[in-house]
Amino acid sequence: MNRNGNRAGSKPLGSGFPPLLIIIVEGKGGVGKSVNADAANYIFASMGCVTLTAESDTTNSIMSSIHDNVVFVNVTRPGWHTIIGKHLQRMGQPGGAGAVIFDTGARDDVHVREKLPYFVQAMEAVGGHVLVIRPITTSGSAQTNAIDFAKTTTGFGIATVFMQIRAQGRTEEHFRRWSATESLREAKQLGAVDTWIDDLGVEEADEAVALGLSFAAVAAEDFDRSHDPEAARAYFDEAKVLWFQDWLETQKMRWLPVFREALANQRAASKVTASL
């Protein structure tokens, strides 16, 4: 990224994180899981971390359409978790990933939760951790599900981040009641961390996906990756490129401390559980 002064630095940086499996999960569709996944993918790749994407969304396979070599799994089929697991075993080794971003589909929640112990054990074997992002909308059920997840997984090696989706017309104001709930306070005491994702713009995000481009590809003006490079260059003018750069960097600066805090809380909770 050189149009904004190369704020990410001129040299690739180590992520400063242990190997990570980041899972974005929520039973409802259309809540921005793939946007979160693509932003997380950018964050770790931009720091020089080898990043791999996995996906289980069979109805709206966005990550598969905008990234190369996506690991696709069908969570309703026996053994699906080991397809991801073989990549987790290679983490930290030459040619292996440092971060795996797993974008799940609607209604995949129950299947993914069932295999969380497997993923935790697989990550522990490579000195890594599991971090789960739970998208939060104004839906009461989404909020309740997220709180339940945080409470029932505390101490079992899972870091939890609540991600307010301040997009699709939702603003900070729409989450004031969520932020003031007693259940959120209790979840935070157990180690969950609350943050948000900014609105990228529905039209801009949709156009990137339609042209087969990740957000990072737009920001880097890597339009040759598109199936229609001319259309991509015509739509993503200088202002839009700068906007994608700024948006990605803003999420990066906000999320990295949040991820570190969630991981630290998870380690502390696991120690307490082990001592009981």
Side-chain angles (χ1 to χ4, degrees), residues 13-139:
L13 302 176
S15 71
F17 284 84
L20 278 184
L21 168 61
I22 298 179
I23 306 174
I24 301 93
V25 62
E26 160 54 36
K28 188 177 183 299
V31 297
K33 290 189 290 292
S34 294
V35 174
N36 277 268
D38 200 28
N41 187 289
Y42 161 79
I43 286 171
F44 287 94
S46 71
M47 296 188 294
C49 177
V50 177
T51 307
L52 178 68
T53 300
E55 180 174 48
S56 64
D57 194 337
T58 57
T59 59
N60 195 21
S61 305
I62 291 176
M63 300 306 286
S64 295
S65 68
I66 62 177
H67 288 279
D68 297 329
N69 303 320
V70 173
V71 177
F72 189 86
V73 295
N74 183 337
V75 298
T76 65
R77 302 192 64 173
W80 68 268
H81 54 293
T82 60
I83 297 174
I84 296 176
K86 70 178 184 180
H87 295 281
L88 302 184
Q89 292 179 347
R90 300 169 187 162
M91 296 183 80
Q93 300 178 12
V100 174
I101 315 298
F102 181 18
D103 181 25
T104 66
R107 297 174 296 279
D108 288 351
D109 195 345
V110 63
H111 300 287
V112 173
R113 287 189 67 162
E114 185 181 58
K115 298 304 179 184
L116 283 177
Y118 169 85
F119 289 132
V120 170
Q121 291 178 3
M123 293 307 296
E124 287 178 345
V126 295
H129 299 279
V130 175
L131 186 149
V132 172
I133 295 176
R134 300 285 317 202
I136 302 296
T137 66
T138 50
S139 164

